[in-house]
Amino acid sequence: MRRSQRPGRGTGGHRAGNLPLELNAFVGRSAELSRLGAALGSARLVTVTGTGGVGKSRLAVRAAARTRPRDGVWHVDLTAVRGEELVEYEVAEALGLTDHTSRPPRRVLLDHLRERQLLLVLDGFEHLVDACARMVVELLRQAPGLRVLAVGRRPLAVQGERLFPLAPLSPRESAELFADRAAASVPGFALHEGNRADVYELCRRLDGIPLSVELAAGRLRALSPAQLLARLDDRFRLLVGGARDVPPRHQALRTAIGWSHELCTPEERLLWSRLSVFAGQFDLEAVEYVCGGDGLRPDNTLDVLGELITQSVVTRAETPAGVRYRMLDTVRAYGAEWLAAAGDSGRLRRRHRDWYMGLATWCELDWFSPRQREVAARVDAELPNLRCALEHCLTEPEGGHLGQHLAGTLWFYWVGCGRLSEGRHWLERSVALDSDHERSRLKALWVLGYVSVLQGDSSTALGVLDECRQAAERSGNPTAVAYAEHRTGCLALVTDDMPRAEALLRSALDRYRDIGELNSNVLMGQVELAMALAFQGDLPGAVRLCEDVRRVCADHGERWSLAYALYVLAYAAWSEGDPARARELLVECLDINHVFHDLLGTVLAVELLALVTVAEGDAAEAAVLQGSASRMWPSVGLPLFGSAYYNAPHEQCEATARRQLGDERYDECVRAGARLGRQAAVGRALGRAGPRPPGALPPPRTPPAPPGTHEPAASPTRKGGETAG
């Protein structure tokens, strides 16, 4: 038996290692380097996983270079190895071992490693995972001084393995990498105000994948960042090239992603292509419905999805809406090409649309339940897919009525979760289409009217609500008549016609009772009627209505309508000389609205809190709250709806605060409040609960004239709870 070892350097005559030298700057990843270093210090097998081009190898080499094992760090590039039986030979070659005996290569490796302390970096093993897993397990068992850093698109899946999934670069780091590589191609290139926005958007659309960013930077020899951005839709043709000394799989984006594709089974490739119809995140139920069948057994979908996760094609995340999955846009685009080539894009998009139509319908019904918060989180998570479904409905022939139905069904999200502007965008597009489905169109019309009321656009609101009511009466649709009348009553409320508002809202509530309708919208109708009564001086009547709403909310677990009822009750408490009770109610109201991202409800509560605060004697804090509200209103619509009733409390608060502080100090406090972001403003308002300073001004015993310190009408108006239209 004769074995020889190549001459080396380092203690004991062994080379210190063979890590490849870095030829360009290492950008970013400081947090990842620290965490990976800590993992290498505590585990003997660490595997860095991630999608193609995300920078796994570069990070691993940099982290390995920071370690100081006695016998060095040894890098094994397995990407070009095509036979499992050749893995051990490649490792022996990287370690500088030659052996002329008949011993198996595994025995040669064990003899060499048994007494040594070194780090072995196995790079690009994903196509040889079984052979590598078997080898690593045996080496680690028999060589106590050995540590292994594996780098691939999937785990080795052996005992003792610590996974280190690598995410794409942050926007800032992506831009830094782009600038560094661009400067190498175009001397003097730097980020500046003229190109910064384009570079950041380019990096965002490239998912922060270092390979994509570097390839894009190489294109600056011929194109500007703006031109690159304009051509990005054809990214697989655009992002080609690269240095000659990088691995072939990294010389073009298509090749890098295609390398993962080649490693997939036919079922995995099929699911990959079908998953490309999803936008953003998606869940297992959606995958099973949309992607199952026709070559992919439903009972096998989860297993196939699991393999795509294992191979870093799909990532998994814990979210407020539960476990969800997603693909990077670059990976998704590759799958979309395969789906189109198979001629299956149309069918999959229709299945995707149908799933999200059903999801929206379920969420609308479940909004009036203890699961309101869950519904809000679910729609937040599904918004990119719902947008895709809406776009599909509104651009496909004969799909207009589906778009109208979907846009209208999402009323609770548009008005209840701070999405008025986007809701109006989809609603206006949908009602502009011809449709023979009267029911869907009527629903979209009254929801559009509702949104327009809340935005302070009275003329649009009046037009679409009149159209809705007339069409509903012609077609005999009592539900749509009730909703159109209700929203017209809201319009009268925010345009200061209180007698008309009261009459219309009472009539709408009667209609709801006649048809057996009970949901968040009906409760909001009661709150809005209470607001109209309060503005006309009938505080006891307003309190009775809102206490009834409170009881129904408790029975059904409803929280969103409850917030607006609390707002009215807080106004009544303040008017009756109980600021402590008013504050208690407003704090609960504000907390609920903030959870739902209900900006209208939030700003109304902050405005009323300012009035309560100045009545309690803290004029400076009241001015700060008014300033923070002034910053929120432009994102909602017309401040205080341009209503004299709604504006009266604001003016009273401002007059009192100016009188106590003086104009200069008041304006200074307002500016300070206007600098607060929404989160900070809400946190500050919620933190004000507690005893007030002595000598606080007592609140009036009767509502101010006009009786409009109360702003709940806006609140109610902005959010109706309609389930069927």
Side-chain angles (χ1 to χ4, degrees):
M1 178 181 74
R2 186 180 78 243
R3 175 176 63 82
S4 65
Q5 180 175 320
R6 296 176 186 172
R9 302 181 298 277
T11 58
H14 308 303
R15 291 195 302 165
N18 67 340
L19 283 178
L21 297 176
E22 295 182 334
L23 301 181
N24 51 22
F26 186 90
V27 177
R29 299 289 198 197
S30 57
E32 291 93 333
L33 277 172
S34 296
R35 292 200 303 270
L36 183 53
L40 288 170
S42 60
R44 294 185 62 209
L45 171 60
V46 178
T47 302
V48 180
T49 61
T51 193
V54 80
K56 302 181 297 293
S57 298
R58 189 70 186 271
L59 178 75
V61 168
R62 171 57 70 101
R66 293 183 168 189
T67 65
R68 294 291 184 268
R70 185 188 67 198
D71 296 301
V73 180
W74 301 85
H75 181 263
V76 185
D77 185 355
L78 295 171
T79 55
V81 178
R82 286 293 175 266
E84 291 194 347
E85 71 282 0
L86 301 177
V87 170
E88 290 155 355
Y89 291 103
E90 190 69 20
V91 175
E93 175 70 16
L95 288 169
L97 302 178
T98 57
D99 188 89
H100 301 290
T101 71
S102 60
R103 294 185 307 160
R106 178 79 57 85
R107 175 55 50 195
V108 174
L109 290 174
L110 287 171
D111 287 348
H112 176 76
L113 296 172
R114 187 170 284 114
E115 303 300 327
R116 286 177 168 79
Q117 295 179 8
L118 59 80
L119 175 64
L120 188 64
V121 182
L122 296 179
D123 196 356
F125 66 82
E126 53 271 330
H127 58 302
L128 305 163
V129 63
D130 291 336
C132 287
R134 291 191 296 268
M135 178 189 70
V136 166
V137 167
E138 187 171 358
L139 293 181
L140 288 173
R141 283 176 177 167
Q142 299 193 39
L146 173 67
R147 291 178 184 271
V148 176
L149 176 58
V151 185
R153 303 184 190 193
R154 60 180 301 160
L156 287 167
V158 299
Q159 289 186 348
E161 180 180 34
R162 175 173 295 185
L163 294 182
F164 192 93
L166 186 60
L169 291 169
S170 69
R172 179 184 59 80
E173 290 179 334
S174 298
E176 289 177 1
L177 178 63
F178 183 92
D180 180 85
R181 302 305 191 254
S185 299
V186 182
F189 179 88
L191 292 178
H192 53 73
E193 289 307 311
N195 64 23
R196 192 181 308 275
D198 288 333
V199 169
Y200 268 77
E201 177 62 13
L202 181 67
C203 292
R204 185 193 68 79
R205 292 186 58 193
L206 291 172
D207 298 311
I209 298 177
L211 171 62
S212 302
V213 172
E214 292 187 344
L215 291 172
R219 282 293 189 177
L220 287 189
R221 298 183 185 94
L223 301 170
S224 69
Q227 290 173 315
L228 273 172
L229 190 58
R231 293 167 177 257
L232 197 57
D233 286 340
D234 198 9
R235 69 184 67 191
F236 292 116
R237 284 204 307 168
L238 177 67
L239 303 183
V240 298
R244 294 187 179 90
D245 58 345
V246 300
R249 71 182 192 279
H250 282 175
Q251 289 181 6
L253 184 59
R254 181 186 296 278
T255 307
I257 305 300
W259 172 252
S260 289
H261 198 259
E262 290 178 11
L263 298 175
C264 292
T265 65
E267 277 193 325
E268 291 162 8
R269 294 176 189 174
L270 183 61
L271 182 56
W272 180 345
S273 69
R274 292 178 179 179
L275 290 175
S276 68
V277 299
F278 291 104
Q281 299 178 340
F282 46 89
D283 62 15
L284 178 60
E285 290 77 13
V287 173
E288 290 174 332
Y289 177 86
V290 175
C291 302
D294 291 326
L296 190 62
R297 300 196 319 274
D299 62 347
N300 196 37
T301 303
L302 177 58
D303 293 335
V304 179
L305 178 63
E307 282 303 308
L308 291 179
I309 295 170
T310 297
Q311 297 180 60
S312 303
V313 174
V314 176
T315 58
R316 175 189 183 277
E318 296 279 353
T319 75
V323 174
R324 301 183 64 75
Y325 312 95
R326 68 161 294 172
M327 291 195 297
L328 294 176
D329 193 52
T330 303
V331 176
R332 185 205 61 77
Y334 190 89
E337 288 194 355
W338 280 78
L339 187 66
D344 210 16
S345 297
R347 184 181 70 88
L348 265 292
R349 287 192 70 195
R350 289 190 295 273
R351 290 185 67 82
H352 176 276
R353 175 204 65 198
D354 293 345
W355 172 262
Y356 286 100
M357 292 275 291
L359 177 70
T361 300
W362 171 83
C363 286
E364 181 189 30
L365 293 171
D366 231 26
W367 181 254
F368 187 58
S369 79
R371 293 176 294 280
Q372 254 183 348
R373 187 170 182 176
E374 174 190 334
V375 168
R378 181 70 182 272
V379 179
D380 266 336
E382 299 289 10
L383 185 56
N385 283 301
L386 288 165
R387 287 168 175 160
C388 280
L390 281 162
E391 188 66 37
H392 180 72
C393 292
L394 298 178
T395 54
E396 287 295 305
E398 309 302 321
H401 70 286
L402 297 176
Q404 291 166 354
H405 177 76
L406 183 53
T409 296
L410 289 169
W411 68 264
F412 64 93
Y413 187 67
W414 308 139
V415 303
C417 300
R419 296 281 182 173
L420 289 176
S421 179
E422 178 169 355
R424 182 162 180 173
H425 164 79
W426 294 112
L427 290 160
E428 287 184 332
R429 285 185 59 186
S430 73
V431 300
L433 299 176
D434 293 331
S435 170
D436 295 331
H437 296 70
E438 185 78 355
R439 184 179 177 86
S440 297
R441 178 173 175 77
L442 290 176
K443 185 167 189 176
L445 281 171
W446 68 251
V447 176
L448 175 57
Y450 185 14
V451 169
S452 301
V453 168
L454 300 178
Q455 290 185 315
D457 186 354
S458 300
S459 59
T460 297
L462 183 60
V464 296
L465 291 172
D466 280 348
E467 179 184 352
C468 178
R469 178 162 184 164
Q470 292 175 23
E473 289 174 341
R474 286 195 304 269
S475 62
N477 187 326
T479 302
V481 171
Y483 282 115
E485 186 170 56
H486 178 178
R487 293 309 162 203
T488 307
C490 294
L491 179 60
L493 180 68
V494 300
T495 53
D496 294 345
D497 189 348
M498 295 306 143
R500 177 171 167 76
E502 180 182 351
L504 288 169
L505 290 168
R506 286 191 186 279
S507 176
L509 290 170
D510 288 341
R511 292 180 187 275
Y512 287 144
R513 280 189 290 272
D514 290 343
I515 62 177
E517 193 87 327
L518 178 61
N519 50 45
S520 299
N521 182 62
V522 175
L523 298 182
M524 291 300 289
Q526 285 189 238
V527 175
E528 292 153 358
L529 176 57
M531 200 64 249
L533 295 180
F535 282 152
Q536 295 177 92
D538 184 5
L539 286 176
V543 169
R544 283 193 299 272
L545 281 167
C546 289
E547 288 292 358
D548 183 62
V549 169
R550 209 171 175 183
R551 286 190 293 272
V552 176
C553 286
D555 290 342
H556 292 270
E558 216 278 0
R559 300 284 291 167
W560 174 69
S561 300
L562 172 64
Y564 286 100
L566 293 171
Y567 180 89
V568 178
L569 292 171
Y571 174 73
W574 174 82
S575 301
E576 292 297 327
D578 191 352
R581 177 62 176 157
R583 181 174 292 280
E584 178 186 345
L585 292 163
L586 283 171
V587 164
E588 185 179 357
C589 165
L590 181 57
D591 188 54
I592 295 171
N593 284 321
H594 191 54
V595 165
F596 285 114
H597 308 293
D598 181 349
L599 187 54
L600 176 60
T602 296
V603 69
L604 288 170
V606 171
E607 289 274 14
L608 189 52
L609 267 171
L611 183 61
V612 171
T613 301
V614 77
E616 291 172 326
D618 193 343
E621 183 65 18
V624 170
L625 291 176
Q626 284 198 311
S628 67
S630 72
R631 177 171 176 172
M632 297 182 205
W633 275 115
S635 298
V636 178
L638 186 62
L640 295 165
F641 309 104
S643 160
Y645 282 90
Y646 280 101
N647 199 47
H650 177 91
E651 290 181 347
Q652 179 178 335
C653 178
E654 178 179 347
T656 304
R658 283 188 182 277
R659 186 169 61 251
Q660 294 183 23
L661 298 173
D663 290 344
E664 184 176 348
R665 174 65 176 149
Y666 172 82
D667 292 338
E668 179 185 345
C669 291
V670 168
R671 287 193 296 270
R675 289 193 292 269
L676 295 175
R678 189 188 317 169
Q679 190 76 25
V682 170
R684 180 162 183 154
L686 292 175
R688 294 293 297 175
R692 307 303 299 168
L697 297 178
R701 287 285 173 180
T702 56
T709 291
H710 202 134
E711 311 152 10
S715 124
T717 233
R718 143 178 182 118
K719 320 189 160 236
E722 304 84 40
T723 56

